């Protein structure tokens, strides 16, 4: 029983991690919370649904296409809603982020519809039993894709030219500009990567639960935001760790307390973290001056 709960928590933790990474990457570069990020995740599920219904598209191709589409969507949101607000008070940017979230959510409701849609299967689901532990092929796909994407991101941030530029922009945007780095381009790359990962999570969750709907981004986004806060907002390792911890807390809580208590548990964790250690496990505080 315990092992089953841990596996379930690990599965959801991987999903939260893919979304939380986008929150942390954007916060690291711009020092604000992109509240439209959960809706980009929702659009990932919608794009996945569209590609699945086309037929004859392999899963890997659908995943890549979904990541490209949501990445471009994230770049568009950054350009239209945030770029001209770099030097204004953060409350203004937050209002713009909330507005972008509402626009994306309602756009999905108009284009995709307000119903809950079933996702055509890319492959047959197989079940495996190891003692009392029950696993299925969808869990392996979700875990495998999530781990590979996180490892690729870790390599990209640590070793690539753009990854180093992202870290430099996160440290000090003004100095990075003076060094000749186009920070607008780097921030667009940051939004593309974070949104692409959220889109991958949306596709994987849509397949895993066989359900896509226009409001699915809100709660997933808030839980991923909680995970990012738990690990230390702005920290990529922190987003991963916080997501895994939150996944386990939610899995044990819904099993031993109530299956409907998942959101309450997530927000209780958020309140406790903000009270006890607002910077999270890996956070060092915001060294940037408040506007």
């Amino acid at each position: 029983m315990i092992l089953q709960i841990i596996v379930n928590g690990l599965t959801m933790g991987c999903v939260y991690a893919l979304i939380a990474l986008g929150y942390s990457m954007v916060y690291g570069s711009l020092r604000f919370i992109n509240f439209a990020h959960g809706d980009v995740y929702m659009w990932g599920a919608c794009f996945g649904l569209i590609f699945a219904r086309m037929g004859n598209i392999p899963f890997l191709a659908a995943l890549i296409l979904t990541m490209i589409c949501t990445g471009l969507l994230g770049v568009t949101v950054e350009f239209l809603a945030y770029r001209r607000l770099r030097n204004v008070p953060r409350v203004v940017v937050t209002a713009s982020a909330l507005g972008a979230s509402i626009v994306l959510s309602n756009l999905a409701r108009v284009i995709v519809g307000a119903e809950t849609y079933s996702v055509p299967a890319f492959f047959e689901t197989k079940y495996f039993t190891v003692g009392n532990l029950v696993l299925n092929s969808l869990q392996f796909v979700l875990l495998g894709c999530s781990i590979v994407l996180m490892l690729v991101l870790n390599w990209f941030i640590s070793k690539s030219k753009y990854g180093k530029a992202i870290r430099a922009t996160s440290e000090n945007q003004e100095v990075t500009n003076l060094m000749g780095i186009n920070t607008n381009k780097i921030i667009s790359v940051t939004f593309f990567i974070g949104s692409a990962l959220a889109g991958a999570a949306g596709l994987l969750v849509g397949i895993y639960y066989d359900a896509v709907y226009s409001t699915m981004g809100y709660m997933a986004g808030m839980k991923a935001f909680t995970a990012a806060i738990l690990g230390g907002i702005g920290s990529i390792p922190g987003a991963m760790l916080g997501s895994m911890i939150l996944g386990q807390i939610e899995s044990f809580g819904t099993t031993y307390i109530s299956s409907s208590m998942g959101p309450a548990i997530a927000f209780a964790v958020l309140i406790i973290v903000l009270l006890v250690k607002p910077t999270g496990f890996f956070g060092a505080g915001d060294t940037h001056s408040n506007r």
Side-chain angles (χ1 to χ4, degrees):
M1 179 68 174
I2 297 295
L3 190 57
Q4 186 74 60
I5 296 172
I6 292 173
V7 171
N8 293 340
L10 181 63
T11 302
M12 290 313 302
C14 285
V15 172
Y16 295 153
L18 290 178
I19 310 171
L21 286 167
Y23 280 114
S24 282
M25 290 179 70
V26 170
Y27 185 86
S29 296
L30 296 176
R31 290 303 189 271
F32 83 92
I33 304 302
N34 177 19
F35 284 111
H37 192 61
D39 296 283
V40 173
Y41 153 85
M42 174 271 297
W43 267 102
C46 292
F47 285 126
L49 174 66
I50 292 170
F51 293 133
R53 287 188 170 182
M54 286 181 178
N56 300 321
I57 295 182
F59 168 74
L60 184 59
L63 178 64
I64 293 172
L65 288 171
T66 297
M67 293 179 69
I68 292 173
C69 289
T70 50
L72 293 174
L73 178 61
V75 171
T76 302
V77 169
E78 187 275 327
F79 180 79
L80 295 177
Y82 306 139
R83 182 164 297 187
R84 292 171 178 81
L85 303 178
R86 298 270 173 86
N87 298 313
V88 301
R90 292 179 190 173
V91 65
V92 177
V93 188
T94 301
S96 183
L98 292 171
S101 172
I102 293 171
V103 169
L104 290 177
S105 177
N106 282 274
L107 193 62
R109 193 170 302 175
V110 170
I111 296 176
V112 181
E115 301 175 16
T116 298
Y117 299 95
S118 179
V119 182
F122 284 97
F123 39 75
E124 182 183 355
T125 303
K126 297 181 180 180
Y127 290 86
F128 309 92
T129 303
V130 182
N132 293 326
L133 180 63
V134 179
L135 303 171
N136 62 62
S137 54
L138 289 177
Q139 286 178 304
F140 287 111
V141 170
L142 194 153
L143 289 169
C145 289
S146 300
I147 292 170
V148 168
L149 289 172
M150 285 188 280
L151 289 174
V152 170
L153 175 66
N154 186 64
W155 172 87
F156 179 84
I157 295 296
S158 302
K159 303 296 183 182
S160 73
K161 177 182 176 181
Y162 277 105
K164 294 175 182 177
I166 289 173
R167 284 187 285 139
T169 303
S170 177
E171 287 294 325
N172 194 312
Q173 192 174 143
E174 293 180 2
V175 173
T176 305
N177 260 324
L178 293 174
M179 293 175 65
I181 296 175
N182 186 340
T183 53
N184 281 335
K185 183 177 181 181
I186 297 305
I187 290 170
S188 292
V189 171
T190 302
F191 267 85
F192 182 90
I193 295 171
S195 300
L197 292 174
L203 169 63
L204 293 169
V205 169
I207 296 172
Y208 186 71
Y209 288 108
D210 191 24
V212 172
Y213 48 97
S214 60
T215 58
M216 64 186 288
Y218 174 75
M219 191 53 64
M222 293 306 295
K223 289 180 181 179
F225 173 61
T226 300
I229 294 291
L230 180 61
I233 190 73
S235 168
I236 289 177
M240 295 180 185
L241 176 63
S243 298
M244 297 306 163
I245 293 175
L246 181 63
Q248 296 301 328
I249 291 173
E250 187 175 350
S251 183
F252 276 92
T254 53
T255 301
Y256 290 109
I257 300 176
S258 171
S259 59
S260 62
M261 288 292 288
I265 292 169
F267 292 123
V269 170
L270 176 61
I271 293 170
I272 293 170
V273 171
L274 290 175
L275 290 173
V276 177
K277 198 176 189 301
T279 58
F281 289 111
F282 285 87
D286 190 349
T287 58
H288 292 55
S289 60
N290 291 322
R291 295 191 183 104

